[in-house]
Amino acid sequence: AAMSRKKLQQLVDSLAPSARHFNKTEVEQLIKLFNVLVANSSNRFAGIGFDRNFFTHTLHTEFGLTDDMIMDRVFRTFDRDNDSCISVVDWVKGLSVFLRGTLEERIKYCFEVYDLNGDGYISREEMFQMLKNSLVKQPSEEDPDEGIKDLIDIALKKMDYDHDGKLSLTDFEKAVKDENLLLEAFGPCLPDMK
């Protein structure tokens, strides 16, 4: 069912302050897009939001993300209340950072995506899991895992400022501020340029 003009306006007004990178017109467009996508989806939250499958399909088709593990983590960063459903609030707030976040916000977002177990660190094991998925294996390689382990050593040498063998948010932030290209060091989790 289409949302009444008044209801839409109330939703825009309530969401606009927390989606500070969008103006009210843009927030309204995002809500309308959300409603169209939800109406066209046949997921188990039909009418109120997206389930994981529909959300990852949208990440893939609209934003060019391809890695299933990373898309699953993006889902978790959008799904703030952990109810396995992306509501309109999750959608607008999430896209505010995803599409227009400041460097600080995107650093925090990427860190959350890469911190697979949510313990506040990106460990060697987590780096390995993500890089294993995102690197193309050459058939000629004896042991492709060796190359990944070398990459992890390089990453830690460059980013692990307190030398504890894992990356804290502070390490990650400092590394990315020194070299912006490191923002998506462990796999693409932001929209592609188009």
Side-chain angles (χ1 to χ4, degrees), residues 16-28:
S18 59
R20 58 196 181 92
H21 299 300
F22 296 125
N23 62 37
K24 283 192 174 184
T25 311
E26 290 169 324
V27 169
E28 185 175 325

Side-chain angles (χ1 to χ4, degrees), residues 150-168:
D150 292 345
L151 261 178
I152 292 168
D153 289 339
I154 293 165
L156 282 169
K157 194 170 256 141
K158 188 152 184 59
M159 301 169 85
D160 181 18
Y161 290 94
D162 58 5
H163 307 294
D164 62 355
K166 56 191 177 184
L167 300 182
S168 64

Side-chain angles (χ1 to χ4, degrees), residues 64-175:
L65 297 188
T66 54
D67 184 315
D68 289 333
M69 180 193 288
I70 297 276
M71 288 193 290
D72 182 63
R73 295 296 306 153
V74 173
F75 177 85
R76 288 167 189 261
T77 62
F78 270 67
D79 181 23
R80 288 280 168 210
D81 54 3
N82 248 339
D83 63 355
S84 301
C85 171
I86 302 295
S87 67
V88 70
V89 176
D90 296 332
W91 169 252
V92 174
K93 284 183 177 178
L95 286 177
S96 181
V97 172
F98 188 70
L99 295 174
R100 299 225 182 120
T102 61
L103 181 60
E104 276 77 10
E105 287 171 325
R106 287 182 318 191
I107 288 171
K108 191 171 182 303
Y109 159 81
C110 288
F111 183 85
E112 276 183 42
V113 168
Y114 298 148
D115 177 11
L116 300 178
N117 65 3
D119 70 351
Y121 294 96
I122 304 170
S123 67
R124 275 179 177 275
E125 292 71 36
E126 288 166 326
M127 290 177 209
F128 185 81
Q129 288 304 319
M130 289 176 287
L131 292 172
K132 189 177 76 172
N133 277 1
S134 62
L135 295 175
V136 181
K137 291 180 179 53
Q138 300 303 324
S140 62
E141 285 183 78
E142 295 290 303
D143 181 4
D145 289 357
E146 279 312 304
I148 296 170
K149 288 174 182 159
D150 292 345
L151 261 178
I152 292 168
D153 289 339
I154 293 165
L156 282 169
K157 194 170 256 141
K158 188 152 184 59
M159 301 169 85
D160 181 18
Y161 290 94
D162 58 5
H163 307 294
D164 62 355
K166 56 191 177 184
L167 300 182
S168 64
L169 178 57
T170 311
D171 288 332
F172 188 69
E173 196 167 19
K174 189 167 168 26

Side-chain angles (χ1 to χ4, degrees), residues 53-70:
N53 289 345
F54 189 77
F55 183 73
T56 52
H57 170 74
T58 304
L59 285 175
H60 179 67
T61 54
E62 301 301 320
F63 301 112
L65 297 188
T66 54
D67 184 315
D68 289 333
M69 180 193 288
I70 297 276

Side-chain angles (χ1 to χ4, degrees), residues 42-59:
S42 54
N43 74 76
R44 62 196 179 107
F45 297 110
I48 56 163
F50 307 148
D51 64 13
R52 183 182 313 262
N53 289 345
F54 189 77
F55 183 73
T56 52
H57 170 74
T58 304
L59 285 175

